[in-house]
Amino acid sequence: MAARRQYQELAQQLSAIGAVKRGLGRVLPSECPAGSAAVLGLLDRHGEMRMSRLAELMAIDMSVTSRHVAHVAERGWIDRSADPADKRSRILRLTPAGRDMLADLSERYMNALAHHLADWSDDEVDQLNALLGRLRASFGDCRAAPAAPAVPPPAAPPVLPVPPGEPVEAPAARTTRTPL
Amino acid sequence: MAARRQYQELAQQLSAIGAVKRGLGRVLPSECPAGSAAVLGLLDRHGEMRMSRLAELMAIDMSVTSRHVAHVAERGWIDRSADPADKRSRILRLTPAGRDMLADLSERYMNALAHHLADWSDDEVDQLNALLGRLRASFGDCRAAPAAPAVPPPAAPPVLPVPPGEPVEAPAARTTRTPL
DNA sequence: TATTGTTATACTCTATAACTATA
DNA sequence: TATAGTTATAGAGTATAACAATA
């Protein structure tokens, strides 16, 4: 439990971090804005998946996901095939063109970050990644479960010193769809 | 200098952190969205200032700042008085009503953060705050003046070959105002 | 002529709600 | 009836450009 002062600080830091995101976004090609880049990145990292899973990983409503996916599909970067097991679903998969774009994006992000974070150590980047991952996890139930259980779910609180091997994984949000 | 893997991780974390910001934003009163709250918070923290200074602190263009400021001024939360020393400028100052609103906002942020970050220690919050602050600083020259690259003008430019297409490094130097 | 701030317009991202087509 | 996904519409946030008033 932290002090009010720290929480206010955190709120302002989060508010201000948008500038960094916009700065990073400026290196992207105009055909592939941040939302599209996120779709490609997640499909690369987690492999083929359905819309609903992608919406969960992006922590945005499926309606929004649908538009991002349409954008990248129109450009041939992903492939939407029908799921034979459930014809309502569509399986999203990177195409070779998508992988090419991803390689381009990776170069651009790499250059920008290597430039701006030149004086950051390995450990510091790892630490920031770990804390951001944990922050996301702590806010993971923002959308679906408003009625917070009095007893916090026995989510094993990760101990701080996170080994730089495996990144903190997605927050496993409940649903990503407009409440029924 | 970190590894490509870590940079990609960071890019994804930053992309996903928007969900946390939106989650926090949901606790705000509808009359006072995040942009307005940021204006009030910065005026509280740094004291009265001019538009240009506020735009700098928010790291957004002054045109955008102008709209946020208009919003909060219309509601009587701040006061825009002419600067006697320069009639083009306006001095922004919190009103008592603004401080009341700020107290309300603080309660709301406090409750939300205390709820979601219940299992975070003091030190962890501090650590995250410090790293976010440093991240912002490292990206600080994204918009602002090129700030005379103190040491090496022939600074280590992009180490990696730039893929064909659009320039990776944006024209860099920018003030908080649309380029003239 | 340069600077401070405002306004007009456009674009990105998101949410809600209504719709379709399967299940 | 419920679920997977789409589309329509609205709103917040931002950027660029053109403008007004002052320096």
Side-chain angles (χ1 to χ4, degrees), chain A residues 8-9 12 45 106 127, chain B residues 8-9 12 45 59 106 127:
Chain A
Q8 289 185 338
E9 167 78 8
Q12 288 205 350
R45 180 182 216 163
S106 186
Q127 228 178 351
Chain B
Q8 290 184 338
E9 167 78 9
Q12 290 204 348
R45 180 181 217 164
S106 187
Q127 227 177 349

Side-chain angles (χ1 to χ4, degrees), chain B residues 22 26 51-52 62-63 66 80 88-90 177:
Chain B
R22 294 196 301 280
R26 283 192 201 97
M51 289 289 311
S52 50
M62 199 160 54
S63 66
S66 184
R80 286 187 285 190
R88 294 172 303 182
S89 291
R90 307 174 79 168
R177 118 167 251 102

Side-chain angles (χ1 to χ4, degrees), chain A residues 120-154:
Chain A
W120 284 56
S121 74
D122 254 50
D123 280 353
E124 289 169 321
V125 177
D126 277 336
Q127 228 178 351
L128 178 55
N129 279 333
L131 285 170
L132 288 178
R134 189 161 166 220
L135 182 64
R136 283 206 291 147
S138 294
F139 271 81
D141 55 14
C142 251
R143 278 181 68 80
V151 181

Side-chain angles (χ1 to χ4, degrees), chain B residues 44-59:
Chain B
D44 182 49
R45 180 181 217 164
H46 299 273
E48 63 183 46
M49 64 182 80
R50 300 187 309 164
M51 289 289 311
S52 50
R53 167 84 171 127
L54 181 59
E56 234 175 75
L57 289 175
M58 297 185 75

Side-chain angles (χ1 to χ4, degrees), chain A residues 1-179:
Chain A
M1 177 56 125
R4 182 185 211 86
R5 177 83 187 65
Q6 297 176 276
Y7 286 148
Q8 289 185 338
E9 167 78 8
L10 180 54
Q12 288 205 350
Q13 290 291 358
L14 287 174
S15 158
I17 215 64
V20 174
K21 292 180 63 174
R22 294 196 300 282
L24 256 190
R26 282 192 201 98
V27 308
L28 296 175
S30 60
E31 275 281 284
C32 185
S36 300
V39 169
L40 299 181
L42 287 170
L43 283 176
D44 181 49
R45 180 182 216 163
H46 298 274
E48 61 183 47
M49 64 182 81
R50 299 186 310 164
M51 288 291 311
S52 50
R53 166 85 172 128
L54 181 59
E56 236 176 72
L57 290 175
M58 296 186 76
I60 56 179
D61 193 274
M62 199 161 52
S63 66
V64 182
T65 309
S66 184
R67 296 211 349 185
H68 288 311
V69 163
H71 181 91
V72 299
E74 280 160 17
R75 280 155 186 80
W77 298 331
I78 71 166
D79 182 86
R80 286 187 284 190
S81 56
D83 182 345
D86 183 341
K87 285 177 187 168
R88 295 172 302 182
S89 290
R90 308 174 78 168
I91 305 293
L92 311 177
R93 196 181 297 109
L94 278 174
T95 62
R99 295 198 180 279
D100 290 347
M101 172 54 69
L102 208 44
D104 181 10
L105 299 179
S106 186
E107 278 308 304
R108 290 165 183 258
Y109 275 144
M110 184 72 183
N111 286 338
L113 288 171
H115 171 71
H116 288 291
L117 306 188
D119 60 340
W120 284 56
S121 74
D122 254 50
D123 280 353
E124 289 169 321
V125 177
D126 277 336
Q127 228 178 351
L128 178 55
N129 279 333
L131 285 170
L132 288 178
R134 189 161 166 220
L135 182 64
R136 283 206 291 147
S138 294
F139 271 81
D141 55 14
C142 251
R143 278 181 68 80
V151 181
V159 195
L160 181 58
V162 178
E166 274 305 305
V168 172
E169 260 317 323
R174 297 191 182 278
T175 174
T176 344
R177 144 165 225 93
T178 156

Side-chain angles (χ1 to χ4, degrees), chain B residues 88-129:
Chain B
R88 294 172 303 182
S89 291
R90 307 174 79 168
I91 305 292
L92 312 177
R93 197 180 296 110
L94 278 175
T95 62
R99 295 198 180 280
D100 290 347
M101 173 53 70
L102 209 43
D104 181 10
L105 299 179
S106 187
E107 275 311 300
R108 292 165 182 257
Y109 275 145
M110 183 73 183
N111 287 338
L113 288 170
H115 170 71
H116 288 291
L117 306 188
D119 61 339
W120 284 56
S121 74
D122 255 49
D123 279 353
E124 289 168 322
V125 177
D126 276 339
Q127 227 177 349
L128 178 56
N129 279 333

